[in-house]
Amino acid sequence: MGMAGMFWQTGFQLQSGLIGSLAILGLMGLGQIIARLNKSSAEQRQLNETLRQEIARRQDAEKRLRHDALHDPLTALANRSLILDRVRHCVQLAKRRSDYLFAVLFMDVDDFKVVNDSLGHAVGDRLLVEVARELTECVRATDIIARCTDSVASRVGGDEFVILLDGIKQQDDAVVVAERIQERLKRPYDLSGHQRVTTVSMGITTNQVSDPETQDMLRDADIALYQAKARGKARSVFFDRPMRDEAMARLQTENDLRQAVERRELRLQFQPIVSVANSGIEGFEVLVRWEDSRRGLVPPSKFIPTAEETGLIVPIGEWVFREACRLVQSWQEKFPHARKVPVNVNVSGRQLTEGGFLEQVDRILEDTGLDPMYLNLEITESVMMQNLAVNVIRNLADRGFTIYMDDFGTGYSSLSCLHVLPLHGIKLDRSFIDRIAVDQRHATSVQAVVILAHSHDLKVVAEGIESAEQLAPLKDFDCDFAQGFYFSKPIDASEAATLIEG
Ligand code: C2E
Ligand code: MG
Ligand code: MG
């Protein structure tokens, strides 16, 4: 239909509607007309009211949607988008006003994972709500606190908070707030029947020390948070530039380490473990080294912590395990008349708890044909205390592996709980042995540990023996085995093979 046709049709409808209305008026009395008008205005009012309610409802819903998009559903704090937006705003302001100072605090609840894993996610959530409530009471209304969760999937682990202190007078003001937060959270409160004290680690930066760009500030606060954790948690650390260089170097190590296994840059050394009574070889501890083209031979203390943090310890640990089994099996085949001695392999916590370790071990034993009686596993004291790890360790013990608690004396385990763990021996840490020859009281406590370990049917290996003076008291105490530079430094596989051949 053309425009003209439409016009004519509309005109006709109007005309016929008017004629119809006039006809009705003609038929009605005045009272009827008034009643009808009243009725229609009441209907109109009703309609208006409904409309008003509907608009308010939609506005509410829209407000809620907008709020939800910018807030954390659990704690009702701001979320990452909102805090980023506010930091961006502060960054702009700082560019216009040279005297404007603001701070970003990156905060992480210490050992939150332990609460979540041991008491359940519901309790973990309650803890986060509690922390959020305390935080809001430590800052001004104009400051912003956000709980950061990267995605819905990571919500459970979202124990990171970012606090924006808007317009502070001096850098120290940020430190004062951080201290106030620590103090406040230290007050014990009840969490599902458990009295709990919460500590947090914090990284702080301001637009004076960081490059004043949104992402840079958050990254620098995060770098300082990493330092706070590395220095023992429960503290706040102020960002400085050398920290950033260190973080870059760490990232570089991580990248290089990622390729180390594939590039075959890892190798094993073996340190003899001897009998205290006659100094004869009873086994070896397997120690990993990294031969990096740029760094040279890197000791484990320089890369195992990074490997643990990043999870790279899992593939590295698998390689160490397989390589150790392969070598021991090859020695047994090559020297059938030599005495068969076991090797001790260090196993990290993440290997045990990340899942799949038992299957991995079974596969390696099958592939290499090694009897598990020639493998001793060294697991540190702190890992032994984790419930998740203990189950795996029990399964390993059932398979015939011998389990040693490594670095005994550096953690918190009490001697009284040794008998409940699936354990065959302990390795006394070097720090324990250090003063044995010079401090009588120290020697007495080493003796007490040996007596108690023996009463639980546990063997004792003393680590880090560097002199005959350190060895002498161990003989008196009937300590079983010893390891240290006094006997031998860690040696290459070929040298170890020569020792075995005899
Ligand atoms: P650890 O398991 O306690 O190993 C003993 C460490 O003490 C070794 O250091 C060894 O070389 C050193 N040591 C032995 N005798 C003496 C001595 O008389 N004096 C002194 N000063 N040191 C002595 P290394 O090889 O640097 O290893 C350090 C740590 O790295 C190990 O401590 C272990 O925790 C870890 N590590 C080494 N290899 C592996 C591995 O394959 N996997 C895992 N997860 N950790 C490993
Ligand atoms: Mg060890
Ligand atoms: Mg040790």
Side-chain angles (χ1 to χ4, degrees), residues 291-304:
E291 259 176 330
D292 181 44
S293 51
R294 280 189 302 121
R295 297 180 180 83
L297 196 67
V298 189
S301 58
K302 289 273 179 341
F303 69 91
I304 293 284

Side-chain angles (χ1 to χ4, degrees), residues 39-97:
K39 189 172 170 230
S40 73
S41 64
E43 274 171 1
Q44 193 64 45
R45 267 199 308 279
Q46 179 64 41
L47 205 67
N48 281 347
E49 180 55 23
T50 313
L51 212 61
R52 201 189 55 74
Q53 282 173 2
E54 177 61 16
I55 288 171
R57 202 180 59 76
R58 286 189 185 198
Q59 277 173 340
D60 272 357
E62 206 180 306
K63 220 158 96 189
R64 214 172 326 116
L65 269 177
R66 219 174 315 130
H67 180 273
D68 290 352
L70 296 174
H71 291 82
D72 164 44
L74 180 69
T75 59
L77 293 175
N79 66 10
R80 187 182 285 272
S81 308
L82 182 54
I83 194 106
L84 277 178
D85 189 60
R86 292 298 298 265
V87 173
R88 219 170 280 131
H89 176 77
C90 292
V91 163
Q92 293 309 323
L93 201 61
K95 282 181 182 164
R96 288 199 301 274
R97 275 179 39 198

Side-chain angles (χ1 to χ4, degrees), residues 348-357 383 386-390 392:
S348 95
R350 270 187 98 151
Q351 280 173 276
L352 295 172
T353 53
E354 212 101 307
F357 186 64
V383 174
Q386 295 173 24
N387 288 341
L388 215 59
V390 169
V392 183

Side-chain angles (χ1 to χ4, degrees), residues 138-271:
C138 292
V139 299
R140 295 176 305 188
T142 47
D143 298 325
I144 291 254
I145 309 170
R147 173 164 165 263
C148 290
T149 48
D150 276 318
S151 65
V152 178
S154 72
R155 200 192 70 78
V156 169
D159 60 330
E160 284 183 345
F161 295 83
V162 178
I163 303 166
L164 168 64
L165 303 178
D166 185 4
I168 50 174
K169 286 200 182 68
Q170 58 218 1
Q171 306 233 40
D172 277 355
D173 292 353
V175 180
V176 170
V177 173
E179 278 166 6
R180 195 184 304 147
I181 289 171
Q182 293 284 15
E183 278 312 305
R184 191 149 187 134
L185 290 174
K186 264 190 205 144
R187 287 190 272 179
Y189 53 84
D190 184 78
L191 201 66
S192 286
H194 298 78
Q195 279 293 309
R196 209 192 129 80
V197 174
T198 305
T199 63
V200 293
S201 300
M202 274 185 271
I204 310 169
T205 194
T206 66
N207 55 318
Q208 243 166 32
V209 285
S210 285
D211 294 333
E213 291 301 334
T214 311
Q215 292 300 344
D216 293 342
M217 291 211 42
L218 287 169
R219 182 202 57 204
D220 291 348
D222 195 14
I223 287 172
L225 166 62
Y226 177 91
Q227 284 296 331
K229 285 186 171 286
R231 292 178 199 176
K233 303 179 182 172
R235 68 196 66 213
S236 49
V237 168
F238 214 102
F239 171 77
D240 63 28
R241 281 167 194 263
M243 267 181 217
R244 191 186 299 158
D245 299 337
E246 200 186 299
M248 297 303 283
R250 211 168 38 239
L251 202 67
Q252 184 68 47
T253 307
E254 187 189 324
N255 285 339
D256 292 347
L257 196 52
R258 225 169 259 289
Q259 298 169 346
V261 177
E262 291 155 33
R263 290 188 189 154
R264 298 172 184 273
E265 291 174 344
L266 298 179
R267 67 180 170 87
L268 298 183
Q269 282 198 325
F270 297 79
Q271 187 177 31

